[in-house]
mmCIF file of all heavy atoms in Angstrom:
data_model
loop_
_atom_site.group_PDB
_atom_site.id
_atom_site.type_symbol
_atom_site.label_atom_id
_atom_site.label_comp_id
_atom_site.label_asym_id
_atom_site.label_seq_id
_atom_site.Cartn_x
_atom_site.Cartn_y
_atom_site.Cartn_z
ATOM 1 N N PHE A 303 -11.515 14.311 77.180
ATOM 2 C CA PHE A 303 -10.227 14.156 76.460
ATOM 3 C C PHE A 303 -9.613 12.811 76.757
ATOM 4 O O PHE A 303 -9.026 12.160 75.882
ATOM 5 C CB PHE A 303 -9.262 15.265 76.942
ATOM 6 C CG PHE A 303 -9.511 16.610 76.289
ATOM 7 C CD1 PHE A 303 -10.733 16.908 75.701
ATOM 8 C CD2 PHE A 303 -8.528 17.556 76.260
ATOM 9 C CE1 PHE A 303 -10.928 18.175 75.112
ATOM 10 C CE2 PHE A 303 -8.695 18.795 75.696
ATOM 11 C CZ PHE A 303 -9.929 19.124 75.096
ATOM 12 N N LYS A 304 -9.799 12.311 78.005
ATOM 13 C CA LYS A 304 -9.248 11.002 78.346
ATOM 14 C C LYS A 304 -9.842 9.885 77.531
ATOM 15 O O LYS A 304 -9.158 8.988 77.015
ATOM 16 C CB LYS A 304 -9.482 10.775 79.852
ATOM 17 C CG LYS A 304 -8.918 9.416 80.324
ATOM 18 C CD LYS A 304 -9.191 9.206 81.792
ATOM 19 C CE LYS A 304 -8.661 7.857 82.285
ATOM 20 N NZ LYS A 304 -8.973 7.570 83.715
ATOM 21 N N THR A 305 -11.185 9.943 77.349
ATOM 22 C CA THR A 305 -11.877 8.930 76.551
ATOM 23 C C THR A 305 -11.377 8.910 75.097
ATOM 24 O O THR A 305 -11.094 7.886 74.506
ATOM 25 C CB THR A 305 -13.363 9.106 76.604
ATOM 26 O OG1 THR A 305 -13.836 9.015 77.917
ATOM 27 C CG2 THR A 305 -14.077 8.108 75.704
ATOM 28 N N ILE A 306 -11.257 10.117 74.552
ATOM 29 C CA ILE A 306 -10.796 10.244 73.158
ATOM 30 C C ILE A 306 -9.368 9.721 73.031
ATOM 31 O O ILE A 306 -9.000 9.080 72.077
ATOM 32 C CB ILE A 306 -10.896 11.697 72.690
ATOM 33 C CG1 ILE A 306 -12.361 12.157 72.643
ATOM 34 C CG2 ILE A 306 -10.255 11.915 71.305
ATOM 35 C CD1 ILE A 306 -12.596 13.636 72.307
ATOM 36 N N ALA A 307 -8.522 10.049 74.035
ATOM 37 C CA ALA A 307 -7.156 9.579 73.985
ATOM 38 C C ALA A 307 -7.115 8.057 73.998
ATOM 39 O O ALA A 307 -6.289 7.442 73.282
ATOM 40 C CB ALA A 307 -6.398 10.132 75.233
ATOM 41 N N GLU A 308 -7.974 7.431 74.807
ATOM 42 C CA GLU A 308 -7.998 5.968 74.825
ATOM 43 C C GLU A 308 -8.489 5.360 73.516
ATOM 44 O O GLU A 308 -7.981 4.351 73.014
ATOM 45 C CB GLU A 308 -8.891 5.531 75.993
ATOM 46 C CG GLU A 308 -8.360 5.802 77.371
ATOM 47 C CD GLU A 308 -9.360 5.536 78.454
ATOM 48 O OE1 GLU A 308 -10.536 5.265 78.133
ATOM 49 O OE2 GLU A 308 -8.969 5.595 79.659
ATOM 50 N N GLU A 309 -9.532 6.020 72.897
ATOM 51 C CA GLU A 309 -10.099 5.536 71.651
ATOM 52 C C GLU A 309 -9.142 5.664 70.482
ATOM 53 O O GLU A 309 -9.133 4.846 69.555
ATOM 54 C CB GLU A 309 -11.373 6.303 71.346
ATOM 55 C CG GLU A 309 -12.523 6.062 72.318
ATOM 56 C CD GLU A 309 -13.264 4.786 72.088
ATOM 57 O OE1 GLU A 309 -12.937 4.071 71.106
ATOM 58 O OE2 GLU A 309 -14.163 4.446 72.874
ATOM 59 N N THR A 310 -8.325 6.726 70.506
ATOM 60 C CA THR A 310 -7.426 7.028 69.355
ATOM 61 C C THR A 310 -5.980 6.654 69.611
ATOM 62 O O THR A 310 -5.162 6.781 68.724
ATOM 63 C CB THR A 310 -7.482 8.522 69.039
ATOM 64 O OG1 THR A 310 -7.057 9.294 70.192
ATOM 65 C CG2 THR A 310 -8.892 8.958 68.640
ATOM 66 N N HIS A 311 -5.651 6.120 70.803
ATOM 67 C CA HIS A 311 -4.312 5.709 71.164
ATOM 68 C C HIS A 311 -3.351 6.939 71.109
ATOM 69 O O HIS A 311 -2.173 6.769 70.744
ATOM 70 C CB HIS A 311 -3.793 4.611 70.284
ATOM 71 C CG HIS A 311 -4.581 3.318 70.365
ATOM 72 N ND1 HIS A 311 -4.128 2.119 69.901
ATOM 73 C CD2 HIS A 311 -5.805 3.054 70.880
ATOM 74 C CE1 HIS A 311 -5.004 1.178 70.086
ATOM 75 N NE2 HIS A 311 -6.029 1.731 70.715
ATOM 76 N N LEU A 312 -3.836 8.087 71.459
ATOM 77 C CA LEU A 312 -3.021 9.320 71.418
ATOM 78 C C LEU A 312 -2.741 9.766 72.861
ATOM 79 O O LEU A 312 -3.513 9.534 73.793
ATOM 80 C CB LEU A 312 -3.755 10.438 70.704
ATOM 81 C CG LEU A 312 -3.787 10.401 69.147
ATOM 82 C CD1 LEU A 312 -4.614 11.554 68.659
ATOM 83 C CD2 LEU A 312 -2.386 10.450 68.582
ATOM 84 N N PRO A 313 -1.590 10.496 73.045
ATOM 85 C CA PRO A 313 -1.365 11.151 74.326
ATOM 86 C C PRO A 313 -2.473 12.171 74.575
ATOM 87 O O PRO A 313 -2.941 12.827 73.623
ATOM 88 C CB PRO A 313 0.009 11.833 74.188
ATOM 89 C CG PRO A 313 0.670 11.091 73.023
ATOM 90 C CD PRO A 313 -0.486 10.664 72.131
ATOM 91 N N ILE A 314 -2.888 12.387 75.797
ATOM 92 C CA ILE A 314 -4.030 13.305 76.120
ATOM 93 C C ILE A 314 -3.710 14.730 75.646
ATOM 94 O O ILE A 314 -4.650 15.461 75.277
ATOM 95 C CB ILE A 314 -4.369 13.249 77.592
ATOM 96 C CG1 ILE A 314 -5.749 13.827 77.813
ATOM 97 C CG2 ILE A 314 -3.285 13.938 78.457
ATOM 98 C CD1 ILE A 314 -6.327 13.529 79.202
ATOM 99 N N GLU A 315 -2.430 15.083 75.600
ATOM 100 C CA GLU A 315 -2.115 16.469 75.192
ATOM 101 C C GLU A 315 -2.344 16.673 73.695
ATOM 102 O O GLU A 315 -2.339 17.819 73.235
ATOM 103 C CB GLU A 315 -0.656 16.838 75.594
ATOM 104 C CG GLU A 315 0.359 15.937 75.049
ATOM 105 C CD GLU A 315 0.726 14.762 75.997
ATOM 106 O OE1 GLU A 315 -0.121 14.418 76.870
ATOM 107 O OE2 GLU A 315 1.806 14.221 75.873
ATOM 108 N N ASP A 316 -2.461 15.606 72.927
ATOM 109 C CA ASP A 316 -2.698 15.716 71.470
ATOM 110 C C ASP A 316 -4.164 15.687 71.083
ATOM 111 O O ASP A 316 -4.516 15.854 69.920
ATOM 112 C CB ASP A 316 -1.960 14.607 70.750
ATOM 113 C CG ASP A 316 -0.439 14.707 70.838
ATOM 114 O OD1 ASP A 316 0.019 15.795 71.129
ATOM 115 O OD2 ASP A 316 0.268 13.690 70.594
ATOM 116 N N VAL A 317 -5.015 15.460 72.022
ATOM 117 C CA VAL A 317 -6.432 15.293 71.737
ATOM 118 C C VAL A 317 -7.072 16.574 71.227
ATOM 119 O O VAL A 317 -7.845 16.568 70.225
ATOM 120 C CB VAL A 317 -7.189 14.787 72.995
ATOM 121 C CG1 VAL A 317 -8.715 14.908 72.780
ATOM 122 C CG2 VAL A 317 -6.849 13.357 73.278
#
Side-chain angles (χ1 to χ4, degrees):
F303 281 19
K304 180 181 178 182
T305 299
I306 295 174
E308 292 172 351
E309 294 280 357
T310 60
H311 296 196
L312 283 176
I314 196 167
E315 58 268 21
D316 293 341
V317 167

